[in-house]
């Protein structure tokens, strides 16, 4: 059963954001952020039922509009008088683990080569055309799919090309993503592509919570009856959307309202003009939704609240949200108090202003985001190499500090300055999910060879295919030019790219690690490695040890913010149970290997190597034995030697040898050190 959209309780911002996009798909989609168990997916899935139905060319697998069929439609050309039945608007879900073929469709290269026909199987982009494309856990979507999705969303078309054979078709859809920020953030490029973002949380009021539960029970007990009871509301909502769509082209965005839009965008220091354009479009949609043909200050306020929070965020450690005082101040400053002598609107930072003002914005066809994508093309993507300095107080992020922390023996020191970290990698060649750390066989990267395909050919190695076919030409009866290919000639290219890893930090927080200054430097270094892990699409985990034992401070997660928050708040002092730390790491990796077997771990042990604890125990010996256990399990590792002072014992290096891991000093972790250490290793 699909839960009725009208029956969703609370989550007003989310419902409004979805409805504004339903009225004007040019707003550019919605990203919904929130913890688990808020029923955000239920609400998204309910949307399709209240969208107006679409007329499609009968038999077209690409959803062509009979009024304007796609001239390049692979199922075309369509006759002018083809039957045009109506079907409900679709909501298509893109699973996070989907293959490229599933998303964009598949071109059968084998049939093209051996039978000489173009055969194309449509993917999810075709299915979502003129409907909604929904990605749950969008933050976990493979980078490669993200790129394909963004290209299609920006162009309103999908292109599929394999070895020079190409197919294209229209793909305009409303993009909706949901995510739990605790599981990791979105790439900034993707974040910016969503027109609106909303944060959802379970309602706090007991009465609202009770209503959620009551409706859930009623829906489970009698799904058909529950749906039927909401039929009237659903129809009314669908009618209101249809009316607002019809009104949209007549809505006027006057100069005063536009000035407020640009003032608000300037006040929140957003980059480029995309924010201004999206805010203006959302304000226009809100006016249409509210039954008005003129944009008011209230429309601008609502639009800013939905369109700006994710555009002003500078790095993954910033807190979300929009400061209401700043918003009101900006609206107030731009409000016309008296007739203005100067009729020209203020100019934006770039000396220009959004091209679409007034009615023009409403007339933009859905998904054809000409102005927006032009602006995007000129924007340099954030450099992967740029350091993202984490803020000193990372503990205000999304309640990530909820875990109980033992009473500090010494208060937590703030981390020192972060820097651009060198790439630490797992040796050998893995087969993990694509990322940017260690070498791996993958479906992307450079061609290193070829092999016989196990299933369908996804990347043809043309030269090796021709070479394989060559010796058989006479036997196959070839007499003139032109190669005679058969299926067994086809060779799949073998690619080598990079994978993401699980970087498990094992951090010594004991008293021997030295002064507060020293600990700040250690924290700064680990934070730098965490930022690096975020950029390389790694999972991260954190084990700490001090005093009586070791603690899994953060189980393996996508949330680098959570790791940063735990690390920042980490108290220090007491003894150094190194062995306990290593054993806890060993156990954590053993469990994780079951859960995510293809992701290879990299253990980063941050310590001075001084194992201490209760008397009468050989702590150094135990630490060595624990290290040996990890080595026997084949765990790749790096030891970061934090030993300070004039007299160096080299105990961290000794542990490194037992781990089979390279040992680096704290000051060797920066990227600029890379050249020198490569020389050392040679
Ligand atoms: Zn068609």
């Amino acid at each position: 059963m699909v839960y009725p959209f009208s029956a969703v309780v609370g989550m007003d911002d989310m419902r409004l954001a979805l409805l504004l996009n339903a009225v004007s798909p040019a707003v550019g989609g919605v990203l919904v952020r929130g913890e688990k168990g808020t029923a955000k997916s239920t609400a998204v899935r309910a949307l399709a039922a209240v969208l107006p139905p679409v007329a499609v060319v009968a038999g077209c697998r690409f959803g062509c509009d009979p009024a304007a069929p796609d001239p390049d439609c692979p199922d075309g050309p369509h006759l002018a008088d083809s039957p045009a039945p109506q079907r409900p608007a679709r909501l298509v879900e893109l699973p996070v683990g989907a293959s490229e073929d599933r998303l964009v469709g598949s071109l059968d290269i084998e049939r093209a080569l051996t039978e000489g026909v173009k055969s194309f199987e449509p993917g999810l982009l075709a299915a979502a055309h003129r409907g909604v494309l929904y990605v749950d856990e969008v933050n976990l979507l493979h980078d490669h799919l993200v790129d394909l999705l963004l290209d299609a969303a920006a162009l309103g078309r999908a292109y599929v090309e394999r070895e020079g054979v190409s197919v294209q078709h229209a793909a305009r859809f409303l993009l909706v993503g949901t995510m739990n920020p605790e599981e990791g953030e979105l790439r900034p490029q993707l974040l910016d592509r969503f027109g609106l973002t909303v944060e959802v949380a379970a309602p706090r009021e007991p009465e609202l919570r009770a209503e959620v539960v009551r409706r859930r029970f009623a829906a489970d007990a009698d799904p058909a009856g529950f749906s039927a009871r909401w039929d009237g509301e659903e129809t009314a909502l669908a009618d209101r959307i249809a009316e607002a769509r019809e009104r949209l082209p007549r809505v006027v965005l006057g100069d005063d309202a536009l000035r407020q839009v640009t003032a608000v965008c300037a006040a929140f220091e957003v980059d480029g003009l995309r924010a201004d354009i999206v805010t203006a479009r959302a304000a226009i949609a809100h006016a249409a939704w509210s039954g008005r043909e003129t944009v008011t200050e209230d429309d601008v306020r609502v639009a800013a609240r939905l369109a700006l929070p994710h555009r002003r965020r500078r790095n993954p450690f910033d807190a979300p949200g929009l400061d209401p005082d700043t918003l009101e101040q900006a609206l107030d400053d731009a409000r016309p108090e008296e007739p203005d002598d100067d009729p020209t609107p203020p100019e934006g930072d770039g000396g220009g202003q959004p091209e679409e003002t007034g009615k023009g914005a409403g007339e933009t066809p859905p998904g054809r985001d000409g102005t927006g994508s032009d602006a995007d093309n000129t924007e340099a993507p954030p450099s992967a190499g740029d350091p993202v300095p984490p803020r000193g107080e990372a503990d205000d992020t999304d309640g990530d500090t909820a875990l109980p922390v033992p009473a500090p023996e010494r208060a937590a020191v703030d981390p020192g300055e972060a820097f651009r970290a060198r790439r630490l990698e797992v040796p050998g060649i893995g087969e993990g999910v694509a990322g940017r750390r260690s070498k791996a066989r993958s479906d992307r990267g450079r061609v290193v060879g070829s092999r016989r395909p196990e299933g369908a050919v996804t990347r043809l190695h043309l030269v090796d295919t021709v070479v394989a076919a060559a010796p058989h030409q006479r036997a196959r009866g070839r007499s003139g030019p032109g190669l005679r290919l058969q299926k067994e000639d086809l060779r799949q290219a073998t690619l080598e790219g990079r994978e993401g890893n699980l970087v498990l930090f094992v951090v010594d927080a004991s008293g021997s690690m030295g002064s507060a200054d020293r600990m700040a430097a250690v924290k700064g270094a680990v934070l730098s490695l965490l930022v690096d892990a975020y950029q390389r699409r790694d999972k991260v985990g954190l084990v700490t040890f001090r005093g009586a034992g070791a603690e899994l401070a953060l189980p393996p997660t996508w949330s680098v913010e959570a790791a940063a928050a735990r690390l920042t708040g980490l108290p220090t002092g007491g003894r150094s149970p190194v062995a306990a730390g290593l054993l806890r790491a060993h156990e954590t990796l053993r469990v994780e290997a079951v859960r995510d077997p293809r992701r290879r771990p990299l253990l980063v042990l941050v310590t001075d190597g001084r194992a201490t604890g209760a008397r009468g125990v050989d702590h150094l010996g135990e630490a060595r034995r624990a290290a040996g256990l990890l080595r026997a399990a084949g765990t790749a590792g790096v030891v970061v030697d934090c030993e300070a002072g004039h007299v160096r014992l080299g105990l961290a290096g000794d542990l490194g040898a037992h781990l089979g891991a390279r040992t680096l000093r704290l000051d060797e972790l920066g990227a600029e050190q890379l050249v020198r250490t490569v020389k050392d290793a040679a």
Side-chain angles (χ1 to χ4, degrees):
M1 163 209 177
V2 175
Y3 200 83
F5 192 81
S6 328
V8 174
V9 178
M11 301 195 278
D12 296 343
D13 276 356
M14 172 181 180
R15 284 192 296 168
L16 183 60
L18 290 170
L19 289 169
L20 294 183
N21 274 276
V23 171
S24 170
V27 169
V30 186
L31 174 66
V32 184
R33 298 157 49 90
E35 60 207 354
K36 279 201 186 100
T38 44
K40 49 191 187 294
S41 300
T42 306
V44 173
R45 292 187 182 112
L47 178 68
V50 293
L51 294 177
V54 288
V56 290
V57 171
C60 173
R61 295 173 298 163
F62 298 85
C64 277
D65 182 352
D70 178 7
D72 295 313
C73 176
D75 281 354
H78 300 300
L79 301 173
D81 55 350
S82 340
Q86 288 212 328
R87 64 158 165 77
R90 272 190 199 140
L91 183 129
V92 172
E93 287 203 35
L94 169 61
V96 166
S99 65
E100 177 178 343
D101 280 1
R102 178 95 188 276
L103 177 64
V104 299
S106 58
L107 197 51
D108 194 335
I109 200 73
E110 297 182 15
R111 288 193 68 193
L113 280 170
T114 59
E115 295 173 39
V117 296
K118 203 189 247 189
S119 154
F120 182 71
E121 203 52 48
L124 296 175
L125 288 178
H129 180 43
R130 305 170 71 205
V132 181
L133 185 66
Y134 174 41
V135 194
D136 191 12
E137 301 191 300
V138 63
N139 49 331
L140 306 186
L141 195 63
H142 191 311
D143 271 3
H144 183 43
L145 291 187
V146 168
D147 292 338
L148 291 168
L149 191 60
L150 292 183
D151 287 350
L155 298 167
R157 299 194 74 75
Y159 291 85
V160 186
E161 187 173 312
R162 286 278 153 72
E163 328 299 338
V165 184
S166 66
V167 168
Q168 58 162 301
H169 62 83
R172 294 191 304 273
F173 48 84
L174 163 52
L175 181 61
V176 181
T178 50
M179 60 176 276
N180 177 357
E182 287 176 13
E183 289 167 353
E185 274 302 341
L186 272 187
R187 275 201 295 168
Q189 298 95 311
L190 181 54
L191 196 61
D192 183 58
R193 280 311 182 93
F194 284 96
L196 311 179
T197 41
V198 286
E199 305 274 336
V200 296
R204 298 202 188 286
E205 303 79 8
E207 193 39 53
L208 267 184
R209 296 175 78 101
E211 189 55 30
V212 174
V213 175
R214 265 198 290 275
R215 289 188 187 178
R216 192 75 246 179
F217 278 17
D220 290 346
D222 176 15
F226 187 77
S227 282
R229 244 179 295 154
W230 289 92
D231 268 354
E233 307 267 349
E234 293 283 278
T235 308
L237 197 55
D239 288 349
R240 188 174 167 191
I241 292 172
E243 277 164 33
R245 270 196 187 179
E246 193 264 328
R247 187 179 298 116
L248 186 72
R250 298 195 302 275
V251 175
V252 176
L253 175 71
D255 282 350
D256 290 341
L258 174 59
R259 202 167 314 177
Q260 288 192 308
V261 168
T262 53
V264 166
C265 291
F268 285 103
E269 297 179 4
V270 296
D271 296 325
L273 280 172
R274 191 175 167 78
D276 304 59
I277 293 165
V278 172
T279 308
R281 283 183 178 151
I284 290 167
H286 189 256
W289 173 248
S290 311
R292 279 183 269 103
E293 297 193 359
T294 307
V295 173
T296 65
E297 179 175 312
D298 188 46
D299 297 325
V300 177
R301 180 181 290 110
V302 170
R305 221 160 33 74
L306 299 175
L308 297 186
H310 58 302
R311 298 181 199 283
R312 51 158 280 276
R313 305 185 66 198
R314 298 299 167 144
N315 72 54
F317 304 105
D318 268 348
L322 206 60
D323 176 39
D325 293 340
T326 311
L327 176 58
E328 287 311 315
Q329 188 63 49
L331 287 169
D332 202 41
D333 291 348
R335 189 180 300 137
E337 297 272 358
E338 57 212 79
D340 200 333
D341 290 336
D342 178 11
T344 53
E347 294 197 340
D349 283 346
Q353 63 185 69
E355 279 173 40
E356 294 153 351
T357 59
K359 299 172 76 170
E363 284 160 2
T364 311
R368 292 297 310 177
D369 189 350
T371 316
S373 30
D374 284 350
D376 288 340
N377 291 342
T378 59
E379 276 169 21
S383 158
D386 282 349
V388 183
R391 304 185 338 168
E393 297 290 324
D395 52 359
D396 55 354
T397 48
D398 296 353
D400 278 329
T401 48
L403 277 195
V405 175
E409 289 163 38
R410 189 163 73 198
V413 294
D414 283 348
E417 203 179 331
F419 50 83
R420 183 178 160 195
R422 62 188 291 173
R423 184 177 66 216
L424 305 172
E425 62 182 292
V426 179
I429 294 174
E431 293 187 336
V433 174
R436 306 206 179 99
R437 187 170 297 279
S438 308
K439 281 184 183 163
R441 300 246 178 276
S442 71
D443 55 357
R444 298 192 81 199
R446 62 193 178 88
V447 176
V448 293
S450 74
R451 58 184 163 80
R452 286 174 183 274
E454 282 147 27
V457 176
T458 50
R459 273 291 293 265
L460 187 78
H461 195 298
L462 190 58
V463 172
D464 285 3
T465 300
V466 170
V467 169
H472 308 295
Q473 296 303 298
R474 221 177 262 186
R476 290 176 190 170
R478 173 181 157 192
S479 50
L483 204 60
R484 289 209 170 183
L485 279 173
Q486 286 185 4
K487 192 171 172 179
E488 64 263 27
D489 303 330
L490 299 177
R491 292 292 180 273
Q492 167 82 19
T494 311
L495 305 184
E496 193 176 285
R498 292 201 178 267
E499 64 180 1
N501 297 103
L502 163 62
V503 182
L504 182 65
F505 292 93
V506 183
V507 178
D508 184 344
S510 69
S512 76
M513 292 286 282
S515 63
D517 279 357
R518 185 72 184 164
M519 201 58 214
V522 169
K523 285 187 178 184
V526 177
L527 274 176
S528 306
L529 293 171
L530 276 172
V531 171
D532 183 62
Y534 170 77
Q535 289 166 342
R536 298 189 189 286
R537 310 275 298 172
D538 294 316
K539 247 173 161 174
V540 293
L542 178 64
V543 171
T544 61
F545 58 90
R546 58 185 274 276
E551 180 196 12
L552 179 57
L554 186 77
T557 170
W558 295 100
S559 178
V560 168
E561 299 89 318
R566 298 278 194 282
L567 184 80
T568 304
L570 180 67
T572 52
R575 287 163 170 163
S576 252
V578 180
L582 290 175
L583 289 174
R584 178 55 71 95
H586 181 254
E587 176 60 16
T588 304
L589 293 177
R590 195 185 61 76
V591 171
E592 198 58 21
V594 175
R595 208 178 274 157
D596 193 357
R598 284 170 67 202
R599 183 174 293 275
R600 296 187 299 158
L602 178 68
L603 182 110
V604 178
L605 173 63
V606 183
T607 183
D608 59 4
R610 290 184 204 208
T612 56
R615 272 184 207 169
V617 181
D618 174 15
H619 294 286
L620 184 59
E622 288 203 346
R624 285 174 173 164
R625 273 192 291 280
L629 209 57
L630 280 156
R631 181 179 193 166
T635 309
V638 172
V639 177
V640 178
D641 183 357
C642 301
E643 186 173 26
H646 297 297
V647 185
R648 301 253 174 159
L649 300 175
L651 291 169
D654 175 78
L655 265 183
H658 282 83
L659 272 169
R662 182 137 118 238
T663 302
L664 296 169
R665 287 192 320 273
L666 208 52
D667 59 4
E668 287 176 323
L669 287 176
E672 61 273 19
Q673 299 291 330
L674 190 61
V675 179
R676 211 184 68 205
T677 20
V678 164
K679 276 188 195 147
D680 290 351

